[in-house]
Amino acid sequence: MKKLLALVLAAVMLLSFTACGGLKAEDVMGTLKDGHYKNTTLGIQLFSPAGWEFTDAEKLVTELGGETDLENATGAVYDMMVTNPLNGDNIIVGFENLGNIYGSVLSEQEYLEKSKEQVDGDGLTSVKIDKVEIAGQTMNCLKLEYDNEGGVIKQVVAVKKCENFMGIITITSFTDSLDQIINMIGKAS
């Protein structure tokens, strides 16, 4: 149930959100190989934590919907997801083509403001535009909290504009371990 809820929340956030200098769509996507995800455009990498499971872009499209062709996409294009199957905590990385979705290239702030207006959901108790440190970078983000059967789901949706694409890192915690999950993301080398 928690995994399904995590997938739904992440999909809602990625679909409600959405670019890096001379980049082609295929240049912004990361690589996932042997339990290691790396995205040089976003400047992040992640080694699979013990017990966590990676899901590649193709499987995410099957599970969450979305699109695969970033150049022509009018919605989210997922890059990867890593999940703790025991509690549903997860990280999802995706991109949106701002020109195709919004008709213009938005700043990170404009993007977050539009996203904040679109965010809605059962149990949503808090949403604010803020900043978060991820892999040694200060990133603009939305911070959200949801009530969930007596508990609190915390979510950070960090964004990085790469020309006409918006990179989106969605981190969701069902266990009040948001900071620990954020710290699992390292700087790409």
Coordinates of all heavy atoms in Angstrom, one line a residue, residues 14-88:
L14 N 5.6 14.7 -10.3 CA 6.3 14.9 -11.5 C 5.4 15.4 -12.7 O 5.9 16.2 -13.5 CB 7.0 13.5 -11.9 CG 8.3 13.3 -11.3 CD1 8.8 11.8 -11.6 CD2 9.4 14.2 -11.8
L15 N 4.2 14.9 -12.7 CA 3.3 15.4 -13.7 C 2.9 16.8 -13.5 O 2.5 17.5 -14.5 CB 2.1 14.4 -13.9 CG 2.5 13.0 -14.4 CD1 1.3 12.1 -14.3 CD2 3.0 13.1 -15.8
S16 N 2.9 17.3 -12.3 CA 2.5 18.7 -12.1 C 3.6 19.6 -12.2 O 3.4 20.8 -12.3 CB 1.8 18.8 -10.7 OG 2.8 18.6 -9.7
F17 N 4.9 19.1 -12.2 CA 6.1 19.9 -12.4 C 6.6 19.8 -13.8 O 6.4 18.9 -14.5 CB 7.2 19.5 -11.5 CG 6.9 19.5 -10.1 CD1 6.6 18.4 -9.4 CD2 6.7 20.7 -9.5 CE1 6.3 18.4 -8.1 CE2 6.5 20.8 -8.2 CZ 6.2 19.6 -7.5
T18 N 7.7 20.6 -14.0 CA 8.5 20.3 -15.2 C 9.8 21.0 -15.2 O 10.2 21.9 -15.1 CB 7.7 20.6 -16.5 OG1 6.5 19.9 -16.2 CG2 8.2 19.9 -17.7
A19 N 14.9 23.1 -17.7 CA 15.4 22.7 -18.8 C 16.8 23.0 -18.8 O 17.0 23.9 -18.1 CB 14.3 22.9 -19.5
C20 N 19.3 22.5 -20.1 CA 20.6 22.9 -19.6 C 21.5 23.2 -20.9 O 21.6 22.2 -21.6 CB 21.1 21.7 -18.9 SG 20.4 21.5 -17.2
G21 N 22.1 24.5 -21.6 CA 22.9 25.1 -22.7 C 23.3 24.1 -23.7 O 24.3 23.4 -23.6
G22 N 22.6 24.1 -24.8 CA 22.9 23.3 -25.9 C 22.7 21.8 -25.7 O 23.2 21.0 -26.5
L23 N 22.0 21.5 -24.7 CA 21.8 20.1 -24.4 C 20.7 19.5 -25.3 O 19.7 20.1 -25.6 CB 21.3 19.9 -23.0 CG 22.3 20.0 -21.9 CD1 21.7 19.9 -20.5 CD2 23.4 19.0 -22.0
K24 N 20.9 18.3 -25.7 CA 19.9 17.5 -26.4 C 19.2 16.7 -25.3 O 19.7 16.4 -24.3 CB 20.5 16.6 -27.4 CG 21.2 17.4 -28.5 CD 21.9 16.4 -29.5 CE 22.6 17.2 -30.6 NZ 23.4 16.4 -31.4
A25 N 18.0 16.3 -25.6 CA 17.2 15.5 -24.7 C 17.9 14.3 -24.2 O 17.9 14.0 -23.0 CB 15.8 15.1 -25.3
E26 N 18.6 13.6 -25.1 CA 19.2 12.3 -24.6 C 20.5 12.6 -23.7 O 20.9 11.7 -23.0 CB 19.7 11.5 -25.9 CG 20.6 12.2 -26.8 CD 20.0 12.9 -27.9 OE1 18.8 13.2 -27.9 OE2 20.7 13.3 -28.9
D27 N 21.0 13.8 -23.8 CA 22.1 14.2 -22.9 C 21.8 14.4 -21.5 O 22.6 14.3 -20.6 CB 22.8 15.5 -23.4 CG 23.4 15.3 -24.8 OD1 23.7 14.2 -25.2 OD2 23.5 16.3 -25.5
V28 N 20.5 14.7 -21.1 CA 20.1 15.0 -19.8 C 19.8 13.7 -18.9 O 19.9 13.8 -17.7 CB 19.0 16.0 -19.6 CG1 19.3 17.3 -20.3 CG2 17.7 15.4 -20.2
M29 N 19.5 12.6 -19.6 CA 19.2 11.4 -18.9 C 20.4 10.8 -18.3 O 21.5 10.9 -18.8 CB 18.5 10.4 -19.9 CG 17.3 11.0 -20.6 SD 16.0 11.6 -19.5 CE 15.2 10.1 -19.0
G30 N 20.2 10.1 -17.2 CA 21.3 9.5 -16.4 C 21.5 8.0 -16.9 O 20.8 7.5 -17.8
T31 N 22.4 7.3 -16.2 CA 22.7 5.9 -16.5 C 22.4 5.1 -15.2 O 22.7 5.6 -14.1 CB 24.1 5.7 -16.9 OG1 25.0 6.2 -15.9 CG2 24.4 6.4 -18.3
L32 N 21.9 3.9 -15.4 CA 21.7 3.0 -14.3 C 22.3 1.7 -14.6 O 21.9 1.0 -15.6 CB 20.2 2.8 -14.0 CG 19.7 1.9 -12.9 CD1 20.3 2.2 -11.6 CD2 18.2 1.8 -12.9
K33 N 23.3 1.3 -13.9 CA 24.0 0.1 -14.2 C 24.6 -0.5 -12.9 O 25.3 0.1 -12.1 CB 25.2 0.3 -15.2 CG 25.9 -0.9 -15.6 CD 27.0 -0.6 -16.7 CE 27.7 -1.9 -17.1 NZ 28.7 -1.6 -18.0
D34 N 24.3 -1.8 -12.7 CA 24.9 -2.6 -11.6 C 24.7 -1.9 -10.2 O 25.6 -1.8 -9.4 CB 26.4 -2.9 -11.8 CG 26.6 -3.7 -13.1 OD1 25.8 -4.5 -13.4 OD2 27.7 -3.4 -13.7
G35 N 23.5 -1.4 -10.0 CA 23.2 -0.8 -8.7 C 23.8 0.6 -8.5 O 23.9 1.1 -7.4
H36 N 24.1 1.3 -9.6 CA 24.7 2.6 -9.5 C 24.0 3.5 -10.5 O 23.9 3.2 -11.7 CB 26.2 2.6 -9.8 CG 26.8 3.9 -9.8 ND1 27.4 4.4 -10.9 CD2 26.9 4.9 -8.9 CE1 27.9 5.6 -10.7 NE2 27.6 5.9 -9.4
Y37 N 23.4 4.6 -10.0 CA 22.7 5.6 -10.9 C 23.6 6.8 -10.9 O 24.1 7.3 -9.9 CB 21.3 5.9 -10.4 CG 20.7 7.1 -11.1 CD1 20.2 7.0 -12.4 CD2 20.7 8.4 -10.6 CE1 19.6 8.0 -13.1 CE2 20.2 9.5 -11.2 CZ 19.6 9.3 -12.5 OH 19.1 10.3 -13.2
K38 N 23.8 7.4 -12.1 CA 24.6 8.6 -12.2 C 23.9 9.5 -13.3 O 23.6 9.1 -14.4 CB 26.0 8.3 -12.7 CG 26.9 9.5 -12.8 CD 28.4 9.0 -13.1 CE 29.3 10.2 -13.1 NZ 30.7 9.7 -13.4
N39 N 23.8 10.8 -12.9 CA 23.3 11.8 -13.8 C 24.2 13.0 -13.7 O 24.1 13.8 -12.8 CB 21.8 12.2 -13.5 CG 21.2 13.0 -14.5 OD1 21.7 14.1 -14.8 ND2 20.1 12.6 -15.1
T40 N 25.0 13.2 -14.7 CA 26.0 14.3 -14.7 C 25.3 15.6 -14.9 O 25.8 16.7 -14.4 CB 27.1 14.1 -15.8 OG1 26.5 13.9 -17.0 CG2 28.0 12.9 -15.4
T41 N 24.2 15.7 -15.6 CA 23.5 16.9 -15.9 C 23.0 17.5 -14.5 O 23.1 18.7 -14.3 CB 22.3 16.7 -16.8 OG1 22.7 16.2 -18.0 CG2 21.5 18.0 -17.0
L42 N 22.5 16.6 -13.7 CA 22.0 17.0 -12.4 C 23.1 17.1 -11.3 O 23.0 17.6 -10.2 CB 20.9 16.1 -11.9 CG 19.6 16.2 -12.7 CD1 18.6 15.2 -12.1 CD2 19.0 17.6 -12.7
G43 N 24.3 16.4 -11.7 CA 25.4 16.4 -10.8 C 25.2 15.5 -9.6 O 25.7 15.7 -8.5
I44 N 24.5 14.4 -9.8 CA 24.2 13.4 -8.7 C 24.5 12.0 -9.1 O 24.6 11.6 -10.3 CB 22.7 13.5 -8.3 CG1 21.8 13.0 -9.4 CG2 22.3 14.9 -7.8 CD1 20.3 12.8 -9.0
Q45 N 24.8 11.2 -8.1 CA 24.9 9.8 -8.2 C 24.4 9.1 -7.0 O 24.3 9.7 -5.9 CB 26.3 9.4 -8.5 CG 27.3 9.6 -7.4 CD 28.7 9.1 -7.7 OE1 28.9 8.3 -8.7 NE2 29.7 9.5 -6.9
L46 N 24.0 7.8 -7.1 CA 23.5 7.1 -6.0 C 23.8 5.6 -6.2 O 23.6 5.0 -7.3 CB 21.9 7.2 -6.0 CG 21.2 6.5 -5.0 CD1 21.5 7.0 -3.6 CD2 19.7 6.6 -5.2
F47 N 24.4 5.0 -5.2 CA 24.6 3.6 -5.1 C 23.5 3.0 -4.4 O 23.0 3.5 -3.3 CB 26.0 3.3 -4.4 CG 27.2 3.8 -5.2 CD1 27.7 5.0 -5.0 CD2 27.7 2.9 -6.2 CE1 28.8 5.5 -5.7 CE2 28.8 3.4 -6.9 CZ 29.3 4.7 -6.7
S48 N 23.0 1.9 -4.8 CA 21.8 1.3 -4.2 C 22.1 0.9 -2.8 O 23.0 0.1 -2.5 CB 21.4 0.0 -5.0 OG 20.3 -0.6 -4.4
P49 N 21.3 1.5 -1.9 CA 21.5 1.2 -0.4 C 21.0 -0.2 -0.2 O 20.2 -0.8 -0.9 CB 20.5 2.2 0.3 CG 20.3 3.2 -0.7 CD 20.4 2.6 -2.1
A50 N 21.6 -0.9 0.8 CA 21.2 -2.3 1.1 C 19.7 -2.4 1.3 O 19.1 -1.6 2.0 CB 21.9 -2.7 2.4
G51 N 19.1 -3.3 0.5 CA 17.7 -3.6 0.6 C 16.8 -2.7 -0.3 O 15.7 -3.0 -0.4
W52 N 17.4 -1.7 -0.8 CA 16.6 -0.8 -1.7 C 16.6 -1.4 -3.1 O 17.6 -2.1 -3.5 CB 17.2 0.6 -1.7 CG 16.9 1.4 -0.5 CD1 17.2 1.0 0.8 CD2 16.3 2.6 -0.4 NE1 16.8 2.0 1.7 CE2 16.2 3.0 1.0 CE3 15.7 3.5 -1.3 CZ2 15.7 4.2 1.4 CZ3 15.2 4.7 -0.9 CH2 15.1 5.0 0.5
E53 N 15.6 -1.1 -3.9 CA 15.5 -1.6 -5.3 C 15.4 -0.5 -6.3 O 14.6 0.4 -6.1 CB 14.3 -2.5 -5.4 CG 14.3 -3.7 -4.4 CD 13.0 -4.4 -4.4 OE1 12.0 -4.0 -5.0 OE2 13.0 -5.5 -3.7
F54 N 16.2 -0.6 -7.4 CA 16.2 0.4 -8.5 C 15.1 -0.1 -9.4 O 14.9 -1.2 -9.7 CB 17.5 0.5 -9.2 CG 18.5 1.4 -8.7 CD1 19.6 1.0 -8.0 CD2 18.3 2.8 -8.8 CE1 20.6 1.8 -7.5 CE2 19.2 3.7 -8.3 CZ 20.3 3.2 -7.6
T55 N 14.4 0.9 -10.0 CA 13.5 0.7 -11.1 C 14.0 1.6 -12.3 O 14.1 2.8 -12.1 CB 12.0 1.1 -10.8 OG1 11.7 0.3 -9.6 CG2 11.1 0.7 -11.9
D56 N 14.2 1.0 -13.5 CA 14.7 1.8 -14.6 C 13.5 2.6 -15.3 O 12.3 2.4 -15.0 CB 15.4 1.0 -15.6 CG 14.6 -0.1 -16.3 OD1 13.3 0.0 -16.3 OD2 15.2 -1.1 -16.8
A57 N 13.9 3.4 -16.2 CA 12.9 4.3 -16.9 C 11.8 3.6 -17.6 O 10.7 3.9 -17.5 CB 13.7 5.2 -17.9
E58 N 12.2 2.5 -18.3 CA 11.2 1.7 -19.0 C 10.1 1.2 -18.1 O 8.9 1.2 -18.4 CB 11.8 0.6 -19.8 CG 12.6 1.1 -21.0 CD 13.2 -0.1 -21.8 OE1 12.7 -1.2 -21.7 OE2 14.2 0.2 -22.5
K59 N 10.5 0.6 -17.0 CA 9.5 0.0 -16.1 C 8.7 1.1 -15.4 O 7.5 0.9 -15.1 CB 10.3 -0.9 -15.0 CG 9.3 -1.6 -14.1 CD 10.0 -2.6 -13.2 CE 9.0 -3.4 -12.4 NZ 9.6 -4.2 -11.4
L60 N 9.3 2.3 -15.1 CA 8.6 3.4 -14.5 C 7.4 3.8 -15.4 O 6.4 4.2 -15.0 CB 9.5 4.5 -14.2 CG 10.3 4.3 -12.9 CD1 11.3 5.5 -12.8 CD2 9.4 4.3 -11.7
V61 N 7.7 3.9 -16.7 CA 6.7 4.3 -17.7 C 5.5 3.3 -17.6 O 4.3 3.7 -17.6 CB 7.2 4.4 -19.1 CG1 6.1 4.5 -20.1 CG2 8.2 5.6 -19.2
T62 N 5.8 2.0 -17.5 CA 4.8 1.0 -17.4 C 4.0 1.2 -16.1 O 2.8 1.1 -16.0 CB 5.4 -0.4 -17.4 OG1 6.1 -0.5 -18.6 CG2 4.3 -1.5 -17.3
E63 N 4.7 1.5 -14.9 CA 4.0 1.6 -13.6 C 3.4 2.9 -13.4 O 2.3 3.0 -12.8 CB 5.1 1.3 -12.5 CG 5.5 -0.1 -12.5 CD 6.5 -0.3 -11.3 OE1 6.8 0.6 -10.5 OE2 7.1 -1.4 -11.3
L64 N 4.0 4.0 -13.9 CA 3.5 5.4 -13.5 C 2.9 6.1 -14.7 O 2.3 7.2 -14.6 CB 4.6 6.2 -13.0 CG 5.3 5.7 -11.7 CD1 6.4 6.7 -11.3 CD2 4.3 5.6 -10.6
G65 N 3.1 5.6 -15.9 CA 2.7 6.4 -17.1 C 3.9 7.3 -17.4 O 5.0 7.0 -17.1
G66 N 3.6 8.4 -18.1 CA 4.6 9.3 -18.5 C 5.1 8.9 -19.9 O 4.4 8.2 -20.6
E67 N 6.2 9.5 -20.3 CA 6.6 9.4 -21.7 C 8.1 9.0 -21.7 O 8.8 9.0 -20.7 CB 6.4 10.7 -22.4 CG 5.0 11.2 -22.4 CD 4.7 12.5 -23.1 OE1 5.2 12.7 -24.2 OE2 4.1 13.4 -22.5
T68 N 8.6 8.6 -22.9 CA 10.0 8.2 -23.1 C 10.8 9.1 -23.9 O 12.0 9.1 -23.9 CB 10.1 6.8 -23.6 OG1 9.4 6.8 -24.9 CG2 9.4 5.8 -22.7
D69 N 10.2 10.0 -24.8 CA 10.9 10.8 -25.7 C 10.9 12.3 -25.2 O 9.9 13.0 -25.4 CB 10.2 10.8 -27.1 CG 10.8 11.7 -28.1 OD1 11.9 12.2 -27.9 OD2 10.2 11.8 -29.2
L70 N 11.9 12.6 -24.4 CA 12.0 13.9 -23.8 C 11.9 15.1 -24.8 O 11.3 16.1 -24.5 CB 13.3 14.0 -22.9 CG 13.4 15.3 -22.1 CD1 12.2 15.5 -21.2 CD2 14.7 15.3 -21.3
E71 N 12.5 14.9 -25.9 CA 12.5 16.0 -26.9 C 11.1 16.4 -27.3 O 10.8 17.6 -27.5 CB 13.3 15.6 -28.2 CG 13.6 16.7 -29.1 CD 14.6 17.7 -28.5 OE1 15.6 17.3 -27.8 OE2 14.3 18.9 -28.6
N72 N 10.2 15.4 -27.4 CA 8.8 15.7 -27.8 C 7.8 15.5 -26.7 O 6.6 15.6 -27.0 CB 8.4 14.8 -29.0 CG 9.3 15.0 -30.2 OD1 9.4 16.2 -30.7 ND2 10.1 14.0 -30.6
A73 N 8.2 15.3 -25.5 CA 7.3 15.0 -24.4 C 6.5 16.2 -24.0 O 6.9 17.3 -24.0 CB 8.1 14.5 -23.2
T74 N 5.2 15.9 -23.7 CA 4.3 16.9 -23.2 C 4.0 16.6 -21.7 O 3.0 17.1 -21.2 CB 3.1 17.1 -24.0 OG1 2.4 15.8 -24.1 CG2 3.4 17.5 -25.4
G75 N 4.8 15.8 -21.1 CA 4.6 15.4 -19.7 C 5.9 14.9 -19.1 O 7.0 15.1 -19.7
A76 N 5.9 14.2 -18.0 CA 7.1 13.8 -17.3 C 7.8 12.6 -18.1 O 7.1 11.8 -18.7 CB 6.7 13.3 -15.9
V77 N 9.1 12.7 -18.1 CA 9.9 11.6 -18.5 C 10.7 11.1 -17.4 O 11.6 11.8 -16.8 CB 10.8 12.0 -19.7 CG1 11.7 10.8 -20.1 CG2 10.0 12.4 -20.9
Y78 N 10.5 9.9 -16.9 CA 11.2 9.4 -15.7 C 12.5 8.8 -16.1 O 12.7 8.2 -17.2 CB 10.4 8.2 -15.1 CG 9.0 8.7 -14.6 CD1 7.9 8.4 -15.3 CD2 8.9 9.5 -13.5 CE1 6.6 8.8 -14.9 CE2 7.6 9.9 -13.1 CZ 6.5 9.6 -13.8 OH 5.3 10.0 -13.4
D79 N 13.5 9.0 -15.2 CA 14.9 8.5 -15.4 C 15.1 7.3 -14.6 O 15.7 6.3 -15.0 CB 15.9 9.7 -15.1 CG 17.2 9.5 -15.8 OD1 17.3 8.7 -16.8 OD2 18.2 10.2 -15.4
M80 N 14.8 7.3 -13.3 CA 14.9 6.2 -12.4 C 14.2 6.4 -11.1 O 13.8 7.5 -10.8 CB 16.4 5.9 -12.2 CG 17.1 6.8 -11.1 SD 16.9 6.2 -9.4 CE 17.4 7.6 -8.5
M81 N 14.0 5.3 -10.4 CA 13.4 5.3 -9.1 C 14.2 4.3 -8.2 O 14.5 3.2 -8.7 CB 11.9 4.9 -9.1 CG 11.3 4.9 -7.8 SD 9.5 4.5 -8.0 CE 9.0 4.6 -6.3
V82 N 14.4 4.6 -7.0 CA 15.0 3.6 -6.1 C 14.1 3.7 -4.8 O 13.7 4.7 -4.4 CB 16.5 3.9 -5.7 CG1 16.6 5.3 -5.0 CG2 17.1 2.8 -4.9
T83 N 13.7 2.5 -4.4 CA 12.7 2.3 -3.3 C 13.1 1.4 -2.2 O 13.7 0.3 -2.5 CB 11.3 1.8 -3.9 OG1 11.0 2.6 -5.0 CG2 10.2 1.7 -2.9
N84 N 12.8 1.7 -1.0 CA 12.9 0.8 0.1 C 11.6 0.0 0.1 O 10.5 0.6 0.5 CB 13.1 1.5 1.4 CG 13.3 0.6 2.6 OD1 12.9 -0.5 2.6 ND2 14.0 1.1 3.6
P85 N 11.6 -1.3 -0.3 CA 10.3 -2.0 -0.3 C 9.7 -2.3 1.1 O 8.5 -2.6 1.1 CB 10.7 -3.3 -1.0 CG 12.2 -3.5 -0.8 CD 12.7 -2.1 -0.7
L86 N 10.5 -2.1 2.1 CA 9.9 -2.4 3.5 C 9.0 -1.2 3.9 O 8.1 -1.5 4.7 CB 11.1 -2.6 4.5 CG 12.0 -3.8 4.2 CD1 13.1 -3.8 5.2 CD2 11.2 -5.1 4.2
N87 N 9.3 0.0 3.5 CA 8.5 1.1 4.0 C 8.0 2.1 3.0 O 7.3 3.0 3.3 CB 9.3 1.9 5.1 CG 10.6 2.4 4.6 OD1 10.7 2.8 3.4 ND2 11.5 2.5 5.5
G88 N 8.4 1.9 1.7 CA 7.9 2.8 0.6 C 8.8 4.1 0.4 O 8.5 4.8 -0.5

